[in-house]
Amino acid sequence: MSLKVCLAGATGWAGSELARGIAAASELTLVAGVSRNHAGKLLGEALSDSRLTARLYASAAEALVEPCHVFVEYTKPASAKANVLLALQHGAHVVVGTSGLTEADFAEIDTVARERQRGVLACGNFALTAVLLQKFAESAAKVLSHWEIVDYGSATKADVPSGTVRELASRLSRVREPQVTIAPAQAIGPPESRGATVAGTQVHSVRLPGHVLGVDVIFGMPDQTLTLRHQAGSSARPYVDGALLAIRKVSGLVGVHRGLDRVLEL
Ligand SMILES: NC(=O)c1ccc[n+]([C@@H]2O[C@H](COP(=O)([O-])OP(=O)(O)OC[C@H]3O[C@@H](n4cnc5c(N)ncnc54)[C@H](OP(=O)(O)O)[C@@H]3O)[C@@H](O)[C@H]2O)c1
């Protein structure tokens, strides 16, 4: 049976690449998309790709009139929560790629998803190498007590630190709080030099031309260090395979689940 997918943000940087990935997957069918600027067109007209025959609608409410099994949210933080709640009310399972939803948003979504017996799988970074870095860093944090994170982004990336790094710091905090030998406030010199404290971890954000998106987690102990590094290039291709996996697996879940490792057998 083909899984019917509705994609909010189908004309965006991440959404358009995912739309092409869905079109290439034999067991998935893209039945509708959401884009305010291209509403009324076929997605293929908007993206100059004749394989994409789904119609675009101005809102999730209109797109959800087309029955779908899975709704993918890939718009913007301001529209994400309302879209997700609406999709659940229409009986769809939901994959969330959009960053910026708060813990309170997820708690509200979880309540509705459980009432409706539907799954929501949210992942701030679908790139498989980022998902693996997260997993390996959690394992390392069980053994190594000191770490800091370097967050790399392009000169035009305004959000600091990235959603990927926030999620990573939050997950590491659930393993344990990293130990700090000299607290930033006690450092001699500007305390900002020691970075920002995010969920207990010191994070240093670099924003420079030449970088796209990357993360180093550096673990240290006397006379030895371990660096785990994920780097992504400028295309949205890295986010497609993980999102496709989430679409295929989300119907096996009930309630909100965070992180692709929830459905990735590691
Ligand atoms: N999880 C991951 O791996 C991953 C990877 C990449 C990006 N992201 C996140 O995904 C989100 C989208 O990123 P992007 O770079 O693809 O953004 P983008 O290029 O600006 O695309 C946004 C898409 O959403 C639509 N849109 C925006 N606001 C909307 C609204 N209020 N209602 C309906 N549609 C709306 C846009 O079309 P119209 O303007 O025509 O409506 C467009 O199709 C961001 O939160 C980003 O951080 C996550």
Side-chain angles (χ1 to χ4, degrees), residues 143-231:
V143 181
L144 306 170
S145 57
H146 291 67
W147 66 83
E148 299 196 6
I149 296 178
V150 186
D151 157 46
Y152 300 97
S154 68
T156 56
K157 185 171 173 56
D159 56 315
V160 281
S162 67
T164 303
V165 164
R166 282 179 196 277
E167 194 169 300
L168 177 62
S170 156
R171 287 180 67 133
L172 291 177
S173 74
R174 275 175 248 141
V175 178
R176 63 159 117 171
E177 283 273 299
Q179 284 181 30
V180 178
T181 307
I182 299 175
Q186 261 72 62
I188 300 166
E192 299 80 15
S193 305
R194 297 288 297 112
T197 308
V198 178
T201 289
Q202 290 312 115
V203 174
H204 312 267
S205 289
V206 177
R207 293 291 178 267
L208 281 175
H211 285 287
V212 180
L213 192 113
V215 184
D216 286 352
V217 193
I218 307 166
F219 291 88
M221 60 188 299
D223 244 357
Q224 47 185 322
T225 65
L226 168 69
T227 303
L228 300 172
R229 170 172 290 183
H230 155 74
Q231 280 183 305

Side-chain angles (χ1 to χ4, degrees), residues 2 9 100 110 131 144 230:
S2 176
D110 185 59
V131 173
L144 306 170
H230 155 74

Side-chain angles (χ1 to χ4, degrees), residues 16-258:
S16 58
E17 198 63 38
L18 178 58
R20 293 187 184 94
I22 294 171
S26 57
E27 79 288 19
L28 304 178
T29 307
L30 189 58
V31 293
V34 181
S35 160
R36 295 157 304 171
N37 292 316
H38 296 280
K41 292 183 195 162
L42 297 184
L43 181 58
E45 291 170 332
L47 300 184
S48 306
D49 184 338
S50 58
R51 294 172 309 158
L52 306 172
T53 54
R55 187 158 295 282
L56 292 169
Y57 296 87
S59 66
E62 290 162 88
L64 282 160
V65 171
E66 298 269 2
C68 67
H69 299 105
V70 178
F71 178 91
V72 181
E73 167 47 48
Y74 240 152
T75 64
K76 292 285 167 189
S79 41
K81 185 173 87 171
N83 285 352
V84 171
L85 291 173
L86 205 60
L88 289 170
Q89 279 147 8
H90 276 75
H93 298 278
V94 181
V95 170
V96 184
T98 314
S99 53
L101 287 174
T102 63
E103 294 301 320
D105 292 335
F106 280 120
E108 190 178 335
I109 292 168
D110 185 59
T111 304
V112 177
R114 287 181 191 281
E115 274 166 21
R116 301 273 165 166
Q117 289 293 291
R118 289 292 178 271
V120 176
L121 186 51
C123 182
N125 191 330
F126 284 116
L128 294 177
T129 54
V131 173
L132 288 172
L133 174 137
Q134 222 171 40
K135 201 72 191 161
F136 297 155
E138 283 174 323
S139 297
K142 287 178 189 160
V143 181
L144 306 170
S145 57
H146 291 67
W147 66 83
E148 299 196 6
I149 296 178
V150 186
D151 157 46
Y152 300 97
S154 68
T156 56
K157 185 171 173 56
D159 56 315
V160 281
S162 67
T164 303
V165 164
R166 282 179 196 277
E167 194 169 300
L168 177 62
S170 156
R171 287 180 67 133
L172 291 177
S173 74
R174 275 175 248 141
V175 178
R176 63 159 117 171
E177 283 273 299
Q179 284 181 30
V180 178
T181 307
I182 299 175
Q186 261 72 62
I188 300 166
E192 299 80 15
S193 305
R194 297 288 297 112
T197 308
V198 178
T201 289
Q202 290 312 115
V203 174
H204 312 267
S205 289
V206 177
R207 293 291 178 267
L208 281 175
H211 285 287
V212 180
L213 192 113
V215 184
D216 286 352
V217 193
I218 307 166
F219 291 88
M221 60 188 299
D223 244 357
Q224 47 185 322
T225 65
L226 168 69
T227 303
L228 300 172
R229 170 172 290 183
H230 155 74
Q231 280 183 305
S234 55
S235 89
R237 186 70 191 92
Y239 311 108
V240 173
D241 291 336
L244 291 176
L245 180 69
I247 292 169
R248 292 185 182 108
K249 297 281 189 177
V250 67
S251 63
L253 305 173
V254 173
V256 169
H257 297 265
R258 312 273 291 273

